[in-house]
Amino acid sequence: MSQQQWTAVDDYFTSLLAPADEALEAALRDSDAAGLPHINVAPNQGKLLHLLAQMQGARRILEIGTLGGYSTIWLGRALPADGRLVTLEYDARHAEVARTNLARAGLADRTEVRVGPALDSLADLVAEGAEPFDVVFIDADKPNNPHYLDWSLKLTRPGSVIIGDNVVRDGKVADAHSSDAGVQGTRRFLELMAEHPKLSATALQTVGSKGYDGFSLARVIA
């Protein structure tokens, strides 16, 4: 099996089950034009996020890591008209691109892009007494994943779902002795989910146009 074949299968799935529209295509074009890194989710992965949020009946979604807003559009489209999505982005330039993309997609009325270190924004949400979120999507700097999980538990309720992206790290997650801070952050993130009494969780490996990686899925049970 090769990257070429994985990409071909992803292209087939995407064309059949997650075809792009102008708002999604424009979001990718504008992100490229602004020089944003090519680390957005694949279209079929975006559709998975969309379906998970719909199946959850989500009315409130928290996203940690906005980039250009591509995954934000997929998630925001799962919300009802009176739903709310808060997305956290460290880089002000990325946030501006995301706001433009969200407005073009007709989601400006139900999305909020907060700029600054995500740990600060998460603390602000707790201090503000934010209503619990039904879905949390964690896709930011991996060394901080354990902290993002801790704050997510303060901002959710029993029945909420927490999704973590990029947890396989090209298979390096299995290496307990890795010196990579992203790998170690991911390992601690998974270990915390495994041992936490409020969570029931699993993780899956994936291959596709984004290479070899995977995601975690946890449900708040208490």
Side-chain angles (χ1 to χ4, degrees):
M1 304 293 286
S2 66
Q3 179 63 58
Q4 183 178 10
Q5 187 168 8
W6 297 344
T7 300
V9 172
D10 256 11
D11 289 346
Y12 169 66
F13 285 160
T14 294
S15 64
L16 192 65
L17 301 169
D21 54 33
E22 176 54 29
L24 289 168
E25 291 177 347
L28 293 178
R29 285 198 306 269
D30 284 5
S31 295
D32 284 344
L36 273 61
H38 295 167
I39 55 174
N40 52 277
V41 300
N44 52 340
Q45 294 169 343
K47 183 66 175 288
L48 175 64
L49 293 173
H50 177 84
L51 290 171
L52 288 171
Q54 282 188 322
M55 288 187 283
Q56 178 70 357
R59 302 184 70 83
R60 288 178 55 78
I61 297 174
L62 173 63
E63 180 182 50
I64 304 173
T66 314
L67 196 61
Y70 183 75
S71 57
T72 322
I73 293 173
W74 279 110
L75 287 165
R77 286 177 168 178
L79 288 169
D82 61 347
R84 190 71 175 164
L85 187 155
V86 178
T87 182
L88 313 180
E89 174 53 47
Y90 177 80
D91 190 300
R93 185 169 57 90
H94 296 182
E96 189 57 37
V97 173
R99 289 191 181 105
T100 298
N101 288 334
L102 291 166
R104 183 193 295 114
L107 295 169
D109 63 334
R110 69 195 70 174
T111 55
E112 176 188 0
V113 183
R114 295 197 178 198
V115 181
L119 293 178
D120 292 345
S121 297
L122 290 163
D124 290 343
L125 285 168
V126 171
E128 293 163 12
E131 295 179 37
F133 291 93
D134 305 303
V135 171
V136 178
F137 178 46
I138 301 173
D139 189 15
D141 56 307
K142 309 312 171 186
N144 273 319
N145 269 0
H147 304 300
Y148 296 148
L149 181 63
D150 183 54
W151 283 109
S152 295
L153 287 166
K154 294 178 172 66
L155 289 162
T156 48
R157 55 166 178 79
S160 296
V161 169
I162 301 171
I163 306 162
D165 200 14
N166 307 126
V167 300
V168 172
R169 320 301 298 162
D170 286 322
K172 297 173 186 175
V173 72
D175 180 6
H177 305 292
S178 173
S179 61
D180 186 314
V183 170
Q184 290 300 331
T186 300
R187 286 178 61 87
R188 185 57 187 150
F189 174 68
L190 294 167
E191 290 161 2
L192 288 171
M193 283 194 291
E195 66 193 28
H196 204 292
K198 291 179 64 174
L199 290 174
S200 176
T202 191
L204 298 174
Q205 302 177 77
T206 61
V207 295
S209 59
K210 295 295 180 178
Y212 173 38
D213 213 322
F215 65 94
S216 63
L217 186 66
R219 186 170 187 265
V220 182
I221 58 175

